[in-house]
């Protein structure tokens, strides 16, 4: 559980974001001086994997386990319930090693009974003794609507004694998908997913993909901060910007697959969120911008999320889109480079 506390502390205290941009700065909406709608008509409500959501916005995987993380999850869950937003928890591997950590996950569903809740395990754990049984246990603890399997090869390679055997993992993900009784989603951890990998995942039957590209939290950098050896510290900095920028990853995956896509990785404003939706994302997910508010209160988290939602609504109004589908079909986003 020490690792969980280290990760939270580093993300709160250090500069952990990648130096590389997300790629959304390359895109501009065409302003519509006559939007022909009222701002009051603009709605963010929609559906994701068969569930109603108050906005196309997800509270992304962050933490769980120790008491401090438990308090963070409580505040995130309360905000999710208040706004009708889906929420994903941090890696649940900790609860298999420390059963007392289960409470930090079970409470999420108790606090947020009416919103989609998603579990989370490292996909590489399927090569380290975990299988369908553990995935289902992770889901049962949360009464989850699905489980994310996260891909974090960069982080594991820099982490001391990280799990780096990714051999045959695609087939093991496929085995879990076939055997599980609920949706299995796959997400990266800040390095992006390419078109080729998206096609492979779709072929294995995953329910959705979170591209989680470069531009947000760099887990290479986080592990570099944690490391005591100079070599690993340098690895963390050298690979801090490794991967595919979020916008580029999203565009690649949208062209390659019809799966529902979640855009995360450095999205910090509702304007960037609107750009992601216009580029084909079904949801946008945020983590780091909500971490510090979650150390204070559920209201602080809800305020931060409401600000993002209002910025999305304003962007939609200014291009004449009443809903997210109108934003996608309006052809109002253009690339200003290349």
């Amino acid at each position: 559980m020490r690792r969980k506390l280290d990760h939270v502390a580093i993300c709160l205290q250090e500069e952990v974001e990648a130096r590389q941009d997300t790629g959304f700065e390359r895109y501009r909406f065409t302003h519509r001086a006559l939007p022909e709608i009222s701002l009051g008509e603009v709605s963010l409500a929609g559906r994701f994997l068969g569930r109603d959501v108050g906005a196309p916005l997800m509270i992304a995987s962050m933490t769980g386990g120790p008491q401090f993380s438990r308090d963070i999850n409580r505040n995130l869950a309360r905000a999710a319930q208040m706004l009708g937003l889906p929420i994903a928890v941090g890696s649940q591997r900790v609860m298999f090693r420390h059963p007392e950590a289960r409470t930090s996950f079970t409470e999420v569903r108790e606090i947020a009974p009416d919103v989609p809740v998603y579990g989370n395990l490292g996909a590489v754990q399927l090569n380290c003794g975990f299988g369908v049984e553990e995935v289902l246990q992770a889901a049962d603890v949360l009464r989850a609507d699905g489980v994310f399997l996260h891909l974090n090869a960069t982080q594991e390679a820099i982490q001391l004694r990280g799990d780096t055997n990714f051999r045959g993992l695609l087939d093991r993900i496929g085995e879990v998908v076939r055997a599980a009784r609920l949706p299995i989603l796959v997400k990266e951890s800040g390095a992006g997913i390419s078109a080729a990998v998206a096609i492979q995942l779709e072929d294995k039957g995953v329910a959705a993909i979170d591209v989680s590209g470069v531009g947000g939290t760099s887990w290479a950098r986080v592990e570099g901060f944690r490391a005591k050896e100079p070599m690993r510290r340098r690895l963390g900095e050298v690979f801090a910007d490794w991967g595919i920028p979020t916008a580029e990853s999203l565009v690649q995956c949208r062209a390659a697959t019809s799966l529902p896509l979640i855009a995360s990785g450095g999205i910090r404003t509702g304007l960037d969120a609107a750009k992601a939706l216009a580029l084909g994302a079904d949801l946008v997910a945020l983590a780091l911008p909500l971490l510090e508010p979650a150390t204070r209160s559920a209201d602080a988290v809800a305020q931060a999320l409401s600000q993002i939602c209002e910025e999305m609504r304003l962007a939609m109004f200014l291009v004449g889109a009443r809903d997210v589908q109108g934003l996608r079909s309006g052809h109002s986003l253009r690339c200003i480079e290349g």
Side-chain angles (χ1 to χ4, degrees), residues 231-272:
M231 181 192 74
R232 292 192 181 277
R233 283 188 170 271
R234 174 164 170 150
L235 283 172
E237 280 306 302
V238 170
F239 286 87
D241 300 325
W242 176 266
I244 309 168
T246 301
E248 181 181 338
S249 180
L250 175 60
V251 170
Q252 281 193 36
C253 290
R254 184 73 292 156
T257 177
S258 60
L259 285 175
L261 296 179
I262 303 166
S264 69
I267 293 175
R268 300 294 180 255
T269 70
L271 181 54
D272 279 349

Side-chain angles (χ1 to χ4, degrees), residues 104-335:
S104 68
F105 298 108
T106 57
E107 287 181 336
V108 171
R109 174 56 81 191
E110 293 166 3
I111 294 169
D114 302 317
V115 302
V117 175
Y118 296 94
N120 181 15
L121 286 172
V124 73
Q125 296 310 309
L126 300 177
N127 277 343
C128 302
F130 279 31
V132 175
E133 181 179 346
E134 285 75 18
V135 173
L136 293 179
Q137 284 185 45
D140 288 343
V141 162
L142 288 163
R143 287 175 281 156
D145 295 272
V147 174
F148 278 100
L149 297 176
H150 66 261
L151 306 173
N152 63 337
T154 312
Q155 180 185 13
E156 295 287 356
I158 294 171
Q159 186 180 107
L160 182 65
R161 293 185 294 276
D163 298 314
T164 56
N165 178 17
F166 278 66
R167 186 184 296 114
L169 201 53
L170 182 64
D171 286 339
R172 288 182 172 83
I173 290 172
E175 291 167 6
V176 171
V177 169
R178 289 191 297 274
R181 58 176 182 265
L182 77 172
I184 301 298
L185 306 83
V186 171
K187 74 183 298 294
E188 234 291 342
S189 300
I193 289 181
S194 66
V197 171
I199 291 169
Q200 290 176 313
L201 292 170
E202 184 172 32
D203 288 344
K204 292 299 180 183
V206 304
I209 294 172
D210 181 344
V211 302
S212 189
V214 177
T217 301
S218 167
W219 285 99
R221 179 167 279 173
V222 171
E223 293 300 341
F225 279 120
R226 284 188 71 234
K228 293 181 172 55
E229 307 95 328
M231 181 192 74
R232 292 192 181 277
R233 283 188 170 271
R234 174 164 170 150
L235 283 172
E237 280 306 302
V238 170
F239 286 87
D241 300 325
W242 176 266
I244 309 168
T246 301
E248 181 181 338
S249 180
L250 175 60
V251 170
Q252 281 193 36
C253 290
R254 184 73 292 156
T257 177
S258 60
L259 285 175
L261 296 179
I262 303 166
S264 69
I267 293 175
R268 300 294 180 255
T269 70
L271 181 54
D272 279 349
K275 290 178 182 179
L277 295 169
L279 288 172
D282 295 270
L283 285 185
V284 174
L286 296 90
L288 187 63
L290 305 179
L291 182 57
E292 188 281 328
T295 67
R296 292 186 279 126
S297 68
D299 285 341
V301 177
Q303 183 176 0
L305 288 165
S306 295
Q307 179 70 40
I308 297 292
C309 288
E310 196 57 29
E311 290 164 2
M312 278 195 286
R313 289 183 67 249
L314 183 53
M316 291 165 65
F317 171 64
L318 294 175
V319 298
R322 290 182 174 83
D323 53 27
V324 174
Q325 186 55 43
L327 185 64
R328 293 196 189 105
S329 61
H331 308 294
S332 56
L333 193 66
R334 69 191 190 283
C335 183

Side-chain angles (χ1 to χ4, degrees), residues 2 4-14 68 291:
R2 179 74 251 170
K4 291 276 191 185
L5 290 172
D6 287 348
H7 286 164
V8 171
I10 289 168
C11 287
L12 287 170
Q13 297 168 11
E14 305 287 353
F68 186 50
L291 182 57

